[in-house]
Amino acid sequence: MSESTGTTRRSVLASGVTASTLSVAGCLGDFVGGSGGQTYTVGHGEYETEVDAAAFPEELQIYCVQTGWSNWGAVMEAFEEEYGIPLYDAQGSSGEALEDMRANAQNPTHSAYNGGYSFGLEAMNDELTTEYKPANWDVVPDDLKTDNGHVTATRQMTTAVTYRADVYEERGLDAPETWEDLKHPDIAKDLAFTPPHTANGQASALSVNRAYGGDLDDLDPVIEYHEAIAEHGADFRRNVEGPMTAGEISTVIEYDYTGLNLKYNNEEFDEDQIEVAILEGPEGEPGAMNVPYGYALLRNAPNPEAAKLFMDYVLTEDCQKLFFDAYVRPIRANELDQPDEFPDQSSYEAAGFTIDQEELVSKQADIQETLVDRTPLQGAQ
């Protein structure tokens, strides 16, 4: 199960990467030797080392590096074109990846984890990861990486509401501004959240919870919110693009990335049919959780050399630009030109909030269990 869907039709497409991207990508690290004997310099500071192409696998497996999510398809293609290493299309959510890592702890099947940052911290606490600081580790904000080099953020997303503007107009509905607006029967009847066992589904639930005064120890507000919208037909959906296109749902709670990608990169819609909004609580409370995503090298995993090269590549400016092409905010966003299509920055400032990732990790299992057990919305499992 992918955490979302999307392709791109901006300047760099998932189906074709520009020559300039590929040519610059070779600057990732110095390399020596001819074909079949290249050695690349990877790593930051004391982690700098040489990796030999002779040790690269026929296919590299990294959790949640998958087509249809965060423009990984374009990243996978660019990396293979430059270094000759194809990546396995690892469909799945952060929670599913964590469970698989635990199940295969004695014999890892993947080289690295990629997904929700808090799930990476859980993997670290379970001693499933190992230390590695990729090149450009120093430009990642301190609160979005662990000092020991186990988990490093590569991009961020923010909880948002995406809705069919044409359907709202037909129903005589105003554009939503707060979470309270989504309780309207004509909105809630085909409103969908993503399941809470995913990183984005958990963020959606915690966004609503914060908007109504809750915290990590008090989930009553979001459960009460679910009760209010469930009676009108709202539910959980594992995938949203198909149902949105088919008209089964008109409103979905996901990341800003999902909505913007649907609005600008989906040929099934005219741009004015889809709108994306960042919501506050009914009294102006923050209601849009900022969620970091990142990666971690796995302990005793196969093909660590190729995994290090890939991790270094993801933090290059050229790869970071590929995230922006799908409206995912890269971790190096302040060094790049942000697309104009994002919602106004003032809405992010008014509604956005962050949660201490270490605290979230310590309570994450209980949060997800509570949400699954208590929510009246169908499709939580």
Side-chain angles (χ1 to χ4, degrees), residues 120 137 158 207 336:
W137 183 87
T158 301
S207 293
L336 307 171

Side-chain angles (χ1 to χ4, degrees), residues 107-130:
N107 188 25
T109 58
H110 293 60
S111 300
Y113 163 77
N114 160 70
Y117 188 87
S118 63
F119 291 83
L121 293 179
E122 277 201 73
M124 179 185 71
N125 292 341
D126 288 350
E127 298 185 348
L128 299 172
T129 64
T130 190

Side-chain angles (χ1 to χ4, degrees), residues 82-148:
E82 182 63 22
Y83 300 106
I85 308 172
L87 283 122
Y88 172 70
D89 191 356
Q91 296 289 325
S93 70
S94 302
E96 290 166 338
L98 180 59
E99 289 305 309
D100 195 71
M101 282 187 281
R102 288 168 171 163
N104 294 282
Q106 301 305 313
N107 188 25
T109 58
H110 293 60
S111 300
Y113 163 77
N114 160 70
Y117 188 87
S118 63
F119 291 83
L121 293 179
E122 277 201 73
M124 179 185 71
N125 292 341
D126 288 350
E127 298 185 348
L128 299 172
T129 64
T130 190
E131 58 188 74
Y132 176 65
K133 296 179 180 179
N136 292 307
W137 183 87
D138 54 319
V139 302
V140 177
D142 289 343
D143 61 343
L144 294 175
K145 61 188 177 186
T146 58
D147 291 339
N148 61 11

